[in-house]
Amino acid sequence: MSAREIARAVRAGERSARGVVEESLAAIAERDGEVHAFLLVTGDEARSAADAIDAAVADGRDPGPLAGVPVALKDNLCTKGIPTTCASRILEGWRPPYDATVVTRLRRAGAVVVGKTNLDEFAMGSSTENSCAGPTRHPADPSRVPGGSSGGSAAAVAAGFVPLALGSDTGGSVRQPAALCGTVGVKPTYGAVSRYGLVAFASSLDQIGPLAASVEDAALLLEVIAGHDPLDSTSIAQAAPEVTASLDVGVAGLRVGVCDELVEGTAPDVVARVQQAADALVDAGAHVTRVSVPEMRYGLSAYYLIAPAEASSNLARYDGVRYGLRVPASDVAAMNVATRTAGFGPEVKRRIMLGTYALSAGYYDAYYAKAQRVRTLLIEAFSRAYEQVDVLLGATAPTTAFPIGERVDDPMAMYMSDVCTIPSNLAGHPAISVPFGTGDDGLPVGVQVLAPALEEARMFQAAAAIERAAPAPGSGTK
Ligand code: GLN
């Protein structure tokens, strides 16, 4: 059942929230031993939240637009009194004293949190293999990765454990796992969704976004979590975009640019699906052209200076004093070193070293400042493209889901997984990944729609049209 159908049935008193939640918990109990989407299942809390929803319905009180809908949260979203680990040893035992704004809004909307999902440590990675708790497996092929870093959230939706989940997207971490698992994934405009209570990775790039089985459910979830929040100084002072209203608008007259840089270098079976999606948009009345945004080619390099630089600063707070793990040593400095040495995994250490180097005196201008100038060039290039087209279309990820272990010893190959998603983060623009058939290996392919800042409605208009035209799973690429 979709989130929309569940909420409708619960609100109408046709189904109990408790019954829905029990089904979700049973599905998790049955199969998550294999998939390992969850780091923590909060069964007791979920049952009492569901009972409260049912009581509201019985009393004639409004239980909210997502009444009784089970939702999974990436474990870098703060949940009051409930462990939040970021899949890192350094946060072992830490319980946040507050809920993230998105969590508060979900609860207020009647959604029921069933657990916290696995991720790459501090959201650094593209496969969910960089987790101190071990990898999540792809629900359709357990020998493969689900993508990352929100791999647990994507797998939880793809496995049918929950209809909705939240992830975070700094360079593609919602959209790339969504593509690999065959779910919808959204990276909203920077500032559209509050980051209050999202454990910071790279603050100028981080956004929280929905994962769902359909474009409509993703739109419903976005409307609940978006909108101004005074607790986040980068939150945009406007209401949530009304995206559900644009789903049935169609694409007649919409100008769509198939972006060269988002298809070049991607696998032929993925390119074929992007082309097929473009053809479907033509059939639906859109004007489809080819567009080039050459500055996108510098995106990956700029990202791998900016993101580690911000991470090295954000992660300085894990000093063994304020959060989680402490490894005792002879004095404070030695304790800091011992704690960070034991608490962080190898990828996080690599990012801290890269970032510290890029920010150090004498290198700042050559690296960090230069990367920021590339970011400005990219934004200007996007603006020129958006004079010609309303949205851009391309691949979400260069390949389908890859085998577990294939890219762990090759950071560059892993980093390349996000080459198509990173430009939107650098620009602060919204983007969505929509499942569109499968690759030659029978695994899901996602196509990506990119839009200018705050043009989520237009983006959802195109995404809904692509979803309507999507080939049935398992049909060939020709
Ligand atoms: N894979 C990218 C990285 O490792 C993006 C991660 C993200 O979006 N959180 O930095």
Side-chain angles (χ1 to χ4, degrees):
M1 249 182 153
S2 72
R4 188 183 60 82
E5 287 161 349
I6 290 170
R8 193 207 54 77
V10 169
R11 291 171 61 85
E14 292 166 18
R15 288 200 69 180
S16 70
R18 179 64 184 260
V20 174
V21 164
E22 292 294 353
E23 266 178 29
S24 167
L25 293 172
I28 295 166
E30 188 181 319
R31 237 200 117 198
D32 202 43
E34 179 193 17
V35 177
H36 193 219
F38 285 90
L39 293 174
L40 180 70
V41 177
T42 50
D44 292 344
E45 291 88 345
R47 288 186 180 98
S48 48
D51 290 345
I53 302 288
D54 289 330
V57 174
D59 290 354
R61 284 179 280 128
D62 185 350
L66 292 179
V69 179
V71 45
L73 302 174
K74 187 177 184 177
D75 203 25
N76 61 353
L77 292 166
C78 288
T79 40
K80 187 175 177 177
I82 295 169
T84 298
T85 68
C86 295
S88 181
R89 280 195 193 94
I90 211 150
L91 281 175
E92 223 167 62
W94 182 61
R95 290 169 191 258
Y98 59 90
D99 275 333
T101 293
V102 290
V103 175
T104 306
R105 290 187 182 184
L106 277 173
R107 297 196 204 281
R108 204 187 295 150
V112 178
V113 174
V114 297
K116 309 291 298 280
T117 58
N118 201 8
L119 66 155
D120 289 296
E121 186 176 2
F122 283 103
M124 297 173 188
S126 307
S127 67
T128 318
E129 290 165 292
N130 301 335
S131 163
C132 75
T136 295
R137 293 176 182 275
H138 193 292
D141 179 350
S143 73
R144 294 184 187 247
V145 303
S149 63
S150 314
S153 287
V157 173
F161 297 157
V162 285
L164 298 177
L166 286 180
S168 64
D169 191 313
T170 303
S173 279
V174 167
R175 291 162 288 159
Q176 185 261 14
L180 269 47
C181 286
T183 74
V184 175
V186 185
K187 202 290 278 185
T189 299
Y190 184 78
V193 176
S194 170
R195 290 183 295 109
Y196 180 76
L198 165 66
V199 178
F201 163 11
S203 309
S204 77
L205 302 160
D206 298 340
Q207 266 294 287
I208 297 165
L211 292 123
S214 69
V215 172
E216 181 181 47
D217 277 359
L220 271 174
L221 179 50
L222 181 61
E223 288 181 351
V224 165
I225 61 170
H228 183 241
D229 177 17
L231 299 175
D232 171 2
S233 63
T234 61
S235 168
I236 298 168
Q238 71 182 44
E242 287 183 16
V243 281
T244 48
S246 58
L247 301 176
D248 297 325
V249 170
V251 291
L254 193 78
R255 299 172 305 164
V256 178
V258 179
C259 185
D260 289 338
E261 290 72 21
L262 299 178
V263 292
E264 280 167 9
T266 61
D269 53 345
V270 175
V271 176
R273 289 307 195 185
V274 174
Q275 189 52 52
Q276 198 182 350
D279 294 345
L281 289 173
V282 172
D283 292 342
H287 297 298
V288 179
T289 52
R290 295 290 296 211
V291 172
S292 175
V293 186
E295 287 78 357
M296 279 188 187
R297 296 204 179 95
Y298 307 118
L300 197 74
S301 312
Y303 174 87
Y304 275 100
L305 289 166
I306 294 167
E310 295 184 12
S312 69
S313 164
N314 276 324
L315 272 57
R317 72 189 65 166
Y318 306 107
D319 54 5
V321 177
R322 286 170 290 183
Y323 306 90
L325 184 73
R326 175 181 302 173
V327 178
S330 52
D331 59 36
V332 172
M335 182 278 285
N336 293 156
V337 171
T339 300
R340 290 168 67 85
T341 301
F344 290 135
E347 183 61 28
V348 173
K349 286 176 181 160
R350 175 162 32 234
R351 304 287 178 109
I352 292 172
M353 287 188 281
L354 280 172
T356 305
Y357 184 78
L359 289 174
S360 56
Y363 295 108
Y364 181 93
D365 287 337
Y367 296 116
Y368 185 72
K370 196 169 178 184
Q372 290 290 20
R373 286 198 290 276
V374 168
R375 200 167 177 180
T376 303
L377 288 177
L378 179 63
I379 293 168
E380 289 166 358
F382 265 120
S383 301
R384 283 192 295 277
Y386 287 128
E387 285 167 13
Q388 299 163 49
V389 295
D390 300 311
V391 296
L392 292 169
L393 186 72
T396 305
T399 64
T400 56
F402 46 91
I404 289 180
E406 186 186 84
R407 297 183 192 172
V408 276
D409 297 323
D410 186 350
M412 268 313 287
M414 191 68 91
Y415 295 175
M416 286 301 289
S417 311
D418 293 299
V419 69
C420 299
T421 46
I422 279 172
S424 305
N425 299 83
L426 288 170
H429 293 175
I432 185 170
S433 182
V434 183
F436 201 85
T438 48
D440 293 341
D441 52 12
L443 290 166
V445 170
V447 301
Q448 192 182 194
V449 180
L450 293 75
L454 298 173
E455 297 292 351
E456 269 86 354
R458 193 194 285 181
M459 177 177 93
F460 271 92
Q461 213 180 313
I466 291 171
E467 181 181 61
R468 282 191 285 272
S475 64
T477 42
K478 294 288 166 296

